[in-house]
Amino acid sequence: MTDRTGIFAGDDPFVIAQRWLEEAEQSEINDPNAVALATVDATGLPNVRMVLLKEISPDSFWFYTNYNSAKGRELEQSGKAAMVLHWKSLRRQLRIRGTVTREDGPEADAYYASRSLKSRLGAWASRQSEPLESRTALMAKVAKITAQKGPNPERPPFWGGFRLSPVEIEFWADGAFRLHDRFVWRREHPENEWEIHRLNP
């Protein structure tokens, strides 16, 4: 792609994505790593919600959640997901689609240990996505868990990571007169070579 220069330049989409995220960290006031994560339920009905992207590795995008939550169950059932990061200050978007794999080993342990104590205890207390009687009941559960688990709780077995291995990554940047610049990297399987195309706005 002779015109894939400037912010689109590079031979590795993960490196470009990391560069864009680092630029967003300098300009976005709140949560530059916030992503809209899309899944589908057993009937094919879509679900979307905001989560925090925690890592861009050399081959995937990582986030963490309760495995028993709606998104956790849907990710396990379908094995697929899509996400989009939108950086309004930069007028850019990053769209990703691919397969997901549960990651509940040392990486999940390390990330869980890096969270604040209240967040770690909250992960134990919350039955995410299930009906809740009241806020008071939730806080009582947190107090009970705090007494049980103490100041160094282990990672819950129902909480950990997912990594999205993309088969498609699209880099989008705002253009004058809504003639946006779009480049998509596509491959049939995560182990295949990428094909790169410029898309119409």
Side-chain angles (χ1 to χ4, degrees):
M1 285 289 177
T2 56
D3 60 345
R4 195 166 54 79
T5 58
I7 63 172
F8 297 100
D11 297 322
D12 186 329
F14 298 97
V15 172
I16 302 171
Q18 183 63 49
R19 187 173 71 233
W20 280 30
L21 178 58
E22 289 170 359
E23 290 176 26
E25 289 170 347
Q26 305 303 313
S27 60
E28 294 291 322
I29 297 174
N30 295 311
D31 297 328
N33 61 329
V35 302
L37 174 70
T39 57
V40 294
D41 67 15
T43 70
L45 188 65
N47 249 329
V48 65
R49 78 289 284 163
M50 302 303 296
V51 301
L52 295 178
L53 178 68
K54 286 302 179 180
E55 181 184 352
I56 301 175
S57 69
D59 63 357
S60 52
F61 296 80
W62 294 62
F63 57 95
Y64 293 83
T65 190
N66 185 315
Y67 293 136
N68 297 327
S69 66
K71 63 178 156 323
R73 294 194 305 271
E74 290 168 4
L75 289 164
E76 296 274 17
Q77 178 266 323
S78 72
K80 300 174 183 176
M83 60 174 60
V84 60
L85 295 98
H86 175 228
W87 298 300
K88 192 169 184 177
S89 62
L90 296 176
R91 298 182 181 274
R92 297 182 202 170
Q93 294 182 65
L94 179 61
R95 297 177 58 242
I96 305 137
R97 299 199 303 159
T99 58
V100 290
T101 306
R102 183 193 281 212
E103 293 293 341
D104 56 3
E107 295 90 349
D109 290 338
Y111 173 64
Y112 179 79
S114 74
R115 304 176 90 208
S116 71
L117 176 58
K118 289 184 178 180
S119 293
R120 282 178 280 155
L121 293 167
W124 274 101
S126 175
R127 300 177 67 180
Q128 196 174 83
S129 301
E130 294 188 19
L132 176 64
E133 178 187 347
S134 66
R135 179 82 182 178
T136 301
L138 175 62
M139 298 316 294
K141 181 80 176 292
V142 171
K144 182 178 179 181
I145 291 292
T146 300
Q148 290 175 344
K149 298 293 180 182
N152 191 28
E154 73 277 17
R155 178 175 59 85
F158 53 81
W159 190 99
F162 283 100
R163 62 185 182 95
L164 193 161
S165 300
V167 294
E168 182 174 303
I169 304 176
E170 181 186 327
F171 297 88
W172 181 103
D174 182 66
F177 310 109
R178 307 197 72 78
L179 298 177
H180 312 305
D181 288 306
R182 300 173 63 188
F183 288 94
V184 64
W185 299 59
R186 289 192 181 117
R187 56 189 180 181
E188 195 161 334
H189 300 288
E191 63 273 12
N192 290 5
E193 294 296 317
W194 293 104
E195 292 184 2
I196 311 170
H197 303 278
R198 177 186 273 276
L199 301 180
N200 275 278

